[in-house]
Amino acid sequence: MARRFAENRGGRSPKLYHAQTLGQRARSAQRRLGLSHRARAQRNERLPFAPPEDWHEPVEEADGYRIVVQPPGKGYRHVVTPEDVRARLAELPPHFLNDLQVVQFSRMTHKKASFPCYGMQWGQALYLYPIEESLIECYPVPPKPAQLTEARMYGGRWQVDRRGGWRLIWTAAAIRDFYLNNILIHELGHLLDDRNTTYTDRERYAEAFAMDWGYLRTRHNERRNVTRRHHAV
């Protein structure tokens, strides 16, 4: 069975997905082995891609999903916990999780560090990657406008360093928010998408899914809670 690979270039599209087809996508996802990637950096698409991950064979009658935790690696840290992930996924409609079988907290290796990413979907598994222990990411080139906007949405700050490079600086709360309400939901969107086959279409769907079920939903709840506290005073 063919395995598709799609790599995100850091942009975000607000175009809405077709919500009425999500149930169909979830039911048919088990027959598809999708491979997707939210990258922090650019990759030469002419080079072959060999996924540096453990393959989790899909189970016919899986009873929910399991979480696999690997050590993050020297100099890196996981920014969310299994409890965080379970609580966040429990807030979604249950049928969104019908075909999810594994969430893996992956380790950072030398090979992965050469092309780091935040998350990946492969088959029925979602992979979350650690980031630098300092919560500071270093880049040799300036961020694109969409990357500036995305970081600002979740509380990340871009700065120019003394040597002319760029740094993306997170707080513990901001990076946790980014992973739970962007990365995790984005990769789940890839799992649910059984219609799109091109990189652009798959990313457009996953970005819109993460915007709707991640960012916008949580901000709406925050505003609602603030309003309730205000009236209660």
Side-chain angles (χ1 to χ4, degrees):
M1 192 176 295
R3 294 174 183 171
R4 295 196 298 272
F5 169 70
E7 178 189 356
N8 178 43
R9 295 178 181 274
R12 173 178 294 279
S13 170
K15 183 175 181 181
L16 297 179
Y17 60 92
H18 299 289
Q20 67 273 17
T21 66
L22 285 175
Q24 297 172 343
R25 291 171 183 171
R27 285 192 296 273
S28 60
Q30 193 158 358
R31 296 186 176 87
R32 175 181 50 80
L33 303 181
L35 181 61
S36 62
H37 204 147
R38 276 189 63 83
R40 306 187 205 182
Q42 296 289 333
R43 168 179 185 272
N44 187 343
E45 295 181 352
R46 296 180 181 180
L47 296 177
F49 177 76
E53 275 305 340
D54 300 326
W55 167 249
H56 298 283
E57 193 68 31
V59 179
E60 286 292 334
E61 299 294 334
D63 183 17
Y65 64 90
R66 59 191 175 94
I67 293 182
V68 177
V69 180
Q70 298 178 343
K74 185 177 181 181
Y76 292 88
R77 61 186 286 189
H78 294 304
V79 297
V80 296
T81 66
E83 292 74 21
D84 289 335
V85 168
R86 290 194 183 278
R88 183 64 186 90
L89 292 179
E91 296 174 357
L92 299 172
H95 67 271
F96 283 4
L97 310 181
N98 284 350
D99 295 296
L100 176 62
Q101 296 188 4
V102 178
V103 177
Q104 177 173 304
F105 288 59
S106 292
R107 68 173 62 87
M108 183 61 70
T109 64
H110 179 73
K111 181 177 181 180
K112 295 175 188 175
S114 67
F115 181 63
C117 66
Y118 296 116
M120 184 175 76
Q121 173 262 326
W122 191 18
Q124 268 56 56
L126 307 183
Y127 301 81
L128 299 177
Y129 290 91
I131 74 166
E132 289 77 0
E133 215 163 31
S134 64
L135 301 184
I136 299 175
E137 303 178 73
C138 298
Y139 298 84
V141 296
K144 294 182 178 181
Q147 292 172 311
L148 287 169
T149 300
E150 182 178 67
R152 189 180 304 116
M153 288 168 60
Y154 291 92
R157 294 184 297 111
W158 284 95
Q159 289 185 352
V160 180
D161 64 29
R162 297 178 180 178
R163 294 176 292 183
W166 287 77
R167 301 190 303 171
L168 177 53
I169 303 171
W170 300 96
T171 64
I175 194 63
R176 180 177 179 273
D177 180 22
F178 182 55
Y179 266 67
L180 291 178
N181 297 310
N182 185 315
I183 304 305
L184 178 65
I185 309 302
H186 178 104
E187 301 307 334
L188 180 63
H190 278 305
L191 177 61
L192 293 170
D193 182 11
D194 67 340
R195 183 178 66 179
N196 297 304
T197 57
T198 68
Y199 160 75
T200 300
D201 290 341
R202 282 179 58 77
E203 284 304 313
R204 182 179 293 118
Y205 178 93
E207 292 287 355
F209 184 86
M211 176 65 76
D212 191 11
W213 290 97
Y215 183 82
L216 293 179
R217 299 268 171 161
T218 54
R219 270 54 185 181
H220 173 73
N221 290 339
E222 287 172 1
R223 289 195 297 271
R224 182 176 58 187
N225 292 338
V226 169
T227 301
R228 287 177 176 175
R229 287 197 299 270
H230 175 75
H231 287 302
V233 174

